[in-house]
Amino acid sequence: MKPQKSSRRPLVTAQQVADHIGVHKATVYRMVTEGLIPCVRAGRAIRFDLDSVLHALAHNELDVDVACRIIANDDNLFDSFMEKVLTEHENAAKQAQEMD
């Protein structure tokens, strides 16, 4: 009898998760430690089901303190966060000018 193929996607590494969500690998491990994303442990190895991670991130309401710590400890995430904040600010200013 042939082994059945799993319909689940293969497990991925912390680096693959980091690349996918745009953060540093250390941030992924920090999110695991803080209970924000699920992981699978096999001995010393930690692997992730990417769909489960994305679902957890989409449905977690991050505590402001946790979110700030994650952003502050990851230069890439901090830069992208600040870029988004500035873009939203500029868009709001343009909309306010158009309404005047």
Side-chain angles (χ1 to χ4, degrees):
M1 190 185 294
K2 284 185 179 180
Q4 292 182 333
K5 287 187 177 181
S6 172
S7 61
R8 295 183 62 113
R9 291 172 39 167
L11 298 177
V12 297
T13 65
Q15 185 62 58
Q16 290 169 309
V17 171
D19 292 343
H20 189 83
I21 63 175
V23 299
H24 193 274
K25 182 171 74 170
T27 302
V28 173
Y29 289 124
R30 195 172 309 111
M31 286 191 268
V32 168
T33 301
E34 294 179 3
L36 299 175
I37 60 174
C39 68
V40 176
R41 296 178 190 267
R44 291 182 48 197
I46 298 177
R47 296 293 182 263
F48 303 86
D49 175 67
L50 191 55
D51 290 337
S52 296
V53 169
L54 296 176
H55 182 269
L57 290 173
H59 293 89
N60 265 342
E61 291 186 16
L62 295 180
D63 178 272
V64 172
D65 183 51
V66 172
C68 288
R69 279 184 289 161
I70 290 170
I71 291 169
N73 290 320
D74 188 304
D75 291 338
N76 292 333
L77 187 57
F78 179 80
D79 291 344
S80 64
F81 172 77
M82 290 306 297
E83 184 177 321
K84 182 177 179 179
V85 167
L86 291 173
T87 301
E88 288 179 6
H89 178 70
E90 289 170 359
N91 291 339
K94 286 178 186 176
Q95 287 178 347
Q97 284 179 345
E98 290 172 359
M99 295 179 90
D100 286 340

